[in-house]
Amino acid sequence: MVRATLKSLLARKLRLVLSGLAVVLGVMFVSGTFVLTDTLNRTFDSLFSDVYSSTDVSVSAKPKVEVSEFEGEQVAAPLPAAAIDKIKTQPGVRAAVGRVDADGARVIGSDGKVLTSMGPPRIGSNWTGTDAIMELREGRGPEATGEIAMNATTAELSGYRVGDTVPVLTQQPKREFTLVGIWGYSGDRDSIGGAQEVAFTTPVAQELMLGEKDVFTSVTVQAADGVSPEQLRDRLAPALGADYEVKTGDDLAEESSASIKEGLGFFNQILLGFAGIALFVGIFIILNTFSIVVAQRTRELALLRAIGASRRQVINSVLVEAVVVGLIASVLGLAAGVGAGAGLAALFSNLGGGGLDLAPVGVPPVAIISSFLVGLVVTVVAAVLPALRASRIAPVAAMQDVATPDRPLTRITVAGTIVTAAGASALGVGLFADAGDADLWLIFGGVLVTFVGVALLTPLISKPVVSLLGRLFSWSVPGRLGRLNSGRNPRRTAITAAALMVGIALVTGVTVVMDSAKSSLKTEAASILKSQIMISGDQNGPRPPTFDPAVIQKTDQIPGVRAAAAMYNDLVAVGGDREYVTATEDLAILAQAYGTNAATLRDDQIAVSQPQATDSGWQTGTKVSIQTSRGDERTYTVSSVFAENTLPGSIIMPGAAIKDFGITQPTFGFVRLDDGVPVSAVLPQVKALLADSPEVSATDQETWVNAQAAQFDQIITMIQILLGLAILIAVLGVINTLALSVLERTRELGLLRAVGLGRAQTMRMVTVEAVVISVFGALLGVAVGAGMGSAVARALEDDGISQIVLPWGRMGTYLGLAALVGVVAAVAPAIRAARLNILNAIAHD
């Protein structure tokens, strides 16, 4: 029986290829994800091992506020210079050098624009000379206050050479320096990990990067001869006390790498989620393929039954074919995944500035195991139902016909109704009830089960809907034939359309949620925000763009300006919890600029929003202890509770706290004009004041709101790209179904050609069938996606989505693209059908 199955499989190579194509793409996504993350993990392991290769021990003060990888950059607590003197006196210490290393040194290039970074930091440091991996390539290190050196990557990106004047933004407004040196790293590297680095003299670095004199971010300690880094660490830790962190170079490399891996792990889960969607779509395709295959092998399987094969042997025959297809597809998918993972890793490196030296691409065991596990499980699971169907073939009846009769839809309809109700219930509980940590699982599970339920119900609605869609093409004989073909097998049409439905539904659902959020944001901003001019910039990394505080003071002096206020931000610790806070020099002025009223805060007072007060159990007069990124923990009194959205932020601190923030420059500015003053009269003057702050710009309110809303479009685009593979698999499913259907209907096509159907008419007939199936799938996807997206948007009403917007234009585009997909999918099957030899087709068995 196995030999018969393998011979049958090898005799139909096209069927083999079409059966495995969807699995290949799904496995490629899974294995490629693991190859990508493994390559990047080993890359960062090597990177940080190199960075700390010349560090025996590093000493730093414990951070005031611990920051995770997802919350931004860690602000180092200042370490006093006196600590270095203490370290030098400890036994086993050969040398100790104070280091200033902080993100935020932004070079303004020769084109007048700030050098941007898509991930790597822009570090400002103090020059301490070269070491084992750092080497001067031109000039010397900075010695005077007005001198700097930079790494070769920064020099190349900025276009500066030794001797040029370089403007630099730091914790202070723009200052100009003379470039006196350019350095690189061993191995002919221009940077480590693509980081942009600028080195100042130590006093200047302390002033500009830390805002204090005689402080450092860390101390690099070299061990004396005969003392290991671990021994030195264990000696220094108790001597310095609990306020300091003492770590070896290996400790730092492992810790830094683990922090990066945390972010990569989240990224890995996202990619695997989309891979799961692609495989879910692939199940529909494989199920349909094996259903058609079983129909085509009806007589063959009946003959096997007639000569003694049992039902179990027939089931095993189909499952053996599935295993063979799964194995071959897994191997090909794994190979494709290695290539895709390597390509994505190279793309990641280039996005990071091109300075990331990738580790050799490897294939981790988890990629191999998951490829074969996923490939086999998905294929075999999808083949189970067709296998059971094949085992029920009556030998005598089957030998009289080449196709099995279609079965009633009662069972599948009942099952679909139950499954859809269960999925909708889980989705409703996850969205509208408070299930705690289970909410997310209920939502995801509800979406998955609902998709399955709708797919089961699809055969019930396919015949009338497909018939209705087909009428658009029934003006010709090929059109009428294509319409009849698309509706002759509701199950097959439904499964093919369901695969396309999943991808379109997810894209539509995300679009509904994002467009609803975007529209709500615009409406809310128009009703709440009264500032006519906004000052801000686009954030491309962990550090937000900032500007000179003096800009606000000068703006306030412009005729026609009623109020101008700056806003500062920081991540602080409040009672053990991390919270984002806002600060301003004068809350009364900020409120006026924002469009409301509030009293000025004293240095020991804060204002909080009503939701924050409710969640924290605060009220006017409550004492709250807050630890900022720098400085000591302080206790503040809640002076007022303001209504939600009437002021920016949920906790507003006084201007006295700004000096202890991680970033001591404003990130936003609000400018409100006197009644009747046109924006065009003031905006150019504000822009002129920002000439020395090229990271930010001044815009009118409408432009600023539109820019914020445009971020939702970027999310939609990203989702569309990631779901592109699922939609591609669905398109292949249409091609697959048509190709196998053409093979199945060979004699029928021969008869149609014999009675006068021309080649062009045959191609149009197949094309109409493909277009109707594709549009039907897209129509289902749009309807299901719009419904689910609306439900999610309604559930997020408390999070700011106040209105539901259906993207009619995009939904129409999806339907139009589905019709185009049908045309493209029909090309190969239509050509094959048109080229059939009429006599051979009529004689086909």
Side-chain angles (χ1 to χ4, degrees):
M1 195 68 183
V2 173
R3 288 197 299 271
T5 300
L6 295 177
K7 287 183 178 180
S8 173
L9 191 61
L10 293 174
R12 298 174 174 88
K13 296 181 179 62
L14 177 61
R15 186 177 73 196
L16 175 65
V17 172
L18 294 177
S19 301
L21 207 51
V23 185
V24 169
L25 291 174
V27 170
M28 179 191 73
F29 210 141
V30 173
S31 58
T33 298
F34 286 117
V35 169
L36 169 64
T37 51
D38 175 75
T39 301
L40 293 180
N41 283 341
R42 288 185 290 106
T43 296
F44 285 110
D45 284 341
S46 175
L47 169 67
F48 291 115
S49 177
D50 202 2
V51 168
Y52 297 109
S53 61
S54 59
T55 300
D56 288 340
V57 171
S58 177
V59 178
S60 60
K62 283 191 175 180
K64 302 287 186 179
V65 180
E66 293 283 354
V67 178
S68 72
E69 184 68 26
F70 301 102
E71 293 174 322
E73 59 180 352
Q74 179 69 65
V75 178
L79 188 152
I84 301 178
D85 298 329
K86 183 176 181 179
I87 291 171
K88 288 179 179 179
T89 64
Q90 300 303 312
V93 174
R94 179 158 60 94
V97 178
R99 295 284 311 172
V100 175
D101 295 291
D103 194 0
R106 294 144 290 159
V107 173
I108 300 174
S110 55
D111 59 357
K113 298 180 180 179
V114 172
L115 303 186
T116 59
S117 173
M118 299 302 293
R122 293 173 288 187
I123 298 174
S125 62
N126 62 325
W127 179 262
T128 58
T130 58
D131 55 30
I133 64 170
M134 182 178 173
E135 53 192 23
L136 265 175
R137 293 185 180 173
E138 295 181 48
R140 57 176 174 80
E143 298 172 354
T145 300
E147 296 178 342
I148 61 169
M150 62 176 62
N151 67 3
T153 288
T154 310
E156 181 180 355
L157 292 173
S158 63
Y160 291 123
R161 298 182 178 180
V162 172
D164 289 344
T165 300
V166 180
V168 183
L169 299 174
T170 57
Q171 290 276 21
Q172 294 188 11
K174 184 184 81 172
R175 285 178 54 173
E176 294 184 341
F177 300 86
T178 300
L179 179 62
V180 297
I182 297 174
W183 80 84
Y185 293 90
S186 58
D188 198 30
R189 291 172 296 174
D190 292 342
S191 68
I192 294 182
Q196 299 173 24
E197 297 175 89
V198 177
F200 309 89
T201 61
T202 295
V204 173
Q206 292 169 335
E207 176 191 357
L208 298 184
M209 303 308 302
L210 304 181
E212 297 182 56
K213 296 180 179 180
D214 298 324
V215 293
F216 298 87
T217 56
S218 65
V219 179
T220 299
V221 186
Q222 291 182 334
D225 295 338
V227 179
S228 70
E230 290 75 18
Q231 290 174 327
L232 182 58
R233 175 196 61 194
D234 295 340
R235 292 178 186 178
L236 288 176
L240 295 175
D243 293 335
Y244 294 89
E245 294 181 339
V246 184
K247 299 175 182 178
T248 65
D250 291 341
D251 293 337
L252 290 171
E254 184 178 348
E255 183 182 274
S256 300
S257 183
S259 178
I260 293 293
K261 288 177 181 177
E262 181 184 356
L264 290 177
F266 180 73
F267 179 61
N268 184 58
Q269 291 175 3
I270 292 176
L271 291 181
L272 286 176
F274 284 98
I277 294 171
L279 288 168
F280 180 63
V281 172
I283 288 176
F284 289 100
I285 306 306
I286 301 165
L287 176 62
N288 209 24
T289 299
F290 275 93
S291 297
I292 297 173
V293 166
V294 167
Q296 291 178 346
R297 294 179 59 198
T298 297
R299 178 168 294 181
E300 174 189 327
L301 294 173
L303 287 171
L304 291 173
R305 291 292 310 280
I307 63 177
S310 66
R311 289 184 60 182
R312 176 175 294 181
Q313 287 178 310
V314 171
I315 292 174
N316 291 339
S317 172
V318 177
L319 293 182
V320 165
E321 183 169 343
V323 169
V324 172
V325 170
L327 283 172
I328 295 174
S330 297
V331 172
L332 295 177
L334 176 60
V338 173
L344 289 173
L347 178 62
F348 184 93
S349 173
N350 290 330
L351 287 176
L356 194 61
D357 294 324
L358 289 174
V361 175
V363 185
V366 67
I368 299 173
I369 295 171
S370 62
S371 294
F372 284 96
L373 186 63
V374 166
L376 285 173
V377 169
V378 168
T379 310
V380 172
V381 167
V384 167
L385 286 178
L388 293 174
R389 195 176 306 147
S391 70
R392 298 191 183 107
I393 296 173
V396 175
M399 284 189 287
Q400 295 175 348
D401 196 357
V402 295
T404 54
D406 206 10
R407 301 180 308 283
L409 301 176
T410 306
R411 289 184 179 179
I412 197 171
T413 301
V414 172
T417 302
I418 295 173
V419 172
T420 302
S425 300
L427 188 61
V429 172
L431 291 174
F432 301 104
D434 186 8
D437 296 337
D439 279 346
L440 191 60
W441 291 105
L442 284 170
I443 292 173
F444 282 133
V447 168
L448 180 62
V449 174
T450 301
F451 275 137
V452 173
V454 173
L456 291 173
L457 290 174
T458 304
L460 179 67
I461 61 176
S462 67
K463 198 161 188 176
V465 175
V466 165
S467 177
L468 182 62
L469 291 173
R471 291 184 181 278
L472 298 173
F473 307 95
S474 296
W475 46 269
S476 65
V477 172
R480 288 195 293 274
L481 290 173
R483 171 197 170 199
L484 293 173
N485 286 335
S486 60
R488 69 196 295 180
N489 192 326
R491 293 174 185 268
R492 182 179 302 175
T493 299
I495 294 174
T496 306
L500 188 59
M501 173 200 72
V502 174
I504 297 295
L506 289 173
V507 171
T508 302
V510 171
T511 304
V512 169
V513 174
M514 293 296 106
D515 279 3
S516 299
K518 182 167 64 174
S519 179
S520 300
L521 172 65
K522 289 183 177 181
T523 302
E524 183 178 319
S527 62
I528 295 174
L529 186 60
K530 304 304 179 184
S531 304
Q532 290 90 348
I533 297 175
M534 306 293 300
I535 300 174
S536 66
D538 295 327
Q539 184 169 345
N540 297 314
R543 182 186 176 89
T546 60
F547 59 94
D548 185 353
V551 169
I552 293 297
Q553 300 171 9
K554 295 176 181 178
T555 298
D556 195 49
Q557 304 302 315
I558 297 176
V561 172
R562 178 186 299 184
M567 190 175 79
Y568 302 75
N569 299 99
D570 195 22
L571 181 65
V572 305
V574 182
D577 296 326
R578 290 190 292 271
E579 300 277 358
Y580 286 98
V581 299
T582 297
T584 184
E585 284 94 349
D586 191 329
L587 180 57
I589 296 177
L590 174 64
Q592 188 178 6
Y594 202 73
T596 185
N597 295 301
T600 299
L601 294 174
R602 296 199 312 261
D603 290 351
D604 61 346
Q605 292 180 329
I606 59 173
V608 299
S609 67
Q610 184 62 60
Q612 179 71 48
T614 301
D615 292 342
S616 303
W618 298 342
Q619 57 186 355
T620 303
T622 300
K623 302 292 184 180
V624 180
S625 295
I626 298 178
Q627 173 63 66
T628 52
S629 294
R630 296 191 174 99
D632 298 324
E633 185 178 37
R634 293 192 58 183
T635 299
Y636 295 86
T637 302
V638 176
S639 66
S640 62
V641 177
F642 55 88
E644 186 177 12
N645 295 326
T646 55
L647 285 170
S650 57
I651 300 177
I652 301 180
M653 300 186 69
I658 295 172
K659 62 181 176 57
D660 293 328
F661 277 18
I663 298 174
T664 57
Q665 289 186 305
T667 54
F668 284 96
F670 302 94
V671 182
R672 189 177 180 189
L673 308 181
D674 290 328
D675 295 338
V677 176
V679 173
S680 58
V682 178
L683 184 57
Q685 300 180 65
V686 179
K687 288 183 176 181
L689 294 174
L690 291 169
D692 289 338
S693 301
E695 275 191 308
V696 300
S697 60
T699 59
D700 60 81
Q701 184 196 101
E702 182 180 2
T703 302
W704 183 80
V705 171
N706 288 336
Q708 305 307 305
Q711 297 176 17
F712 294 108
D713 293 327
Q714 296 175 4
I715 297 175
I716 294 173
T717 301
M718 182 185 70
I719 297 295
Q720 288 173 332
I721 292 172
L722 290 173
L723 287 175
L725 180 61
I727 296 175
L728 174 61
I729 292 176
V731 173
L732 292 175
V734 178
I735 299 174
N736 195 359
T737 299
L738 290 175
L740 292 174
S741 182
V742 167
L743 290 175
E744 184 183 41
R745 302 203 307 260
T746 298
R747 178 181 290 179
E748 176 187 318
L749 291 169
L751 290 172
L752 288 172
R753 292 292 312 283
V755 298
L757 193 70
R759 287 189 171 183
Q761 290 176 311
T762 302
M763 294 179 68
R764 287 204 301 274
M765 177 186 70
V766 176
T767 301
V768 167
E769 183 178 354
V771 170
V772 169
I773 292 174
S774 298
V775 172
F776 173 52
L779 194 61
L780 278 177
V782 165
V784 173
M788 296 181 66
S790 299
V792 172
R794 177 63 65 194
L796 295 175
E797 186 175 6
D798 292 339
D799 295 315
I801 299 184
S802 58
Q803 49 189 283
I804 296 176
V805 176
L806 295 180
W808 297 107
R810 279 187 173 143
M811 291 193 293
T813 301
Y814 297 153
L815 293 175
L817 289 175
L820 179 61
V821 161
V823 173
V824 173
V827 171
I831 292 175
R832 181 181 178 86
R835 288 179 176 175
L836 285 175
N837 182 286
I838 297 177
L839 295 179
N840 290 339
I842 294 174
H844 181 76
D845 188 4

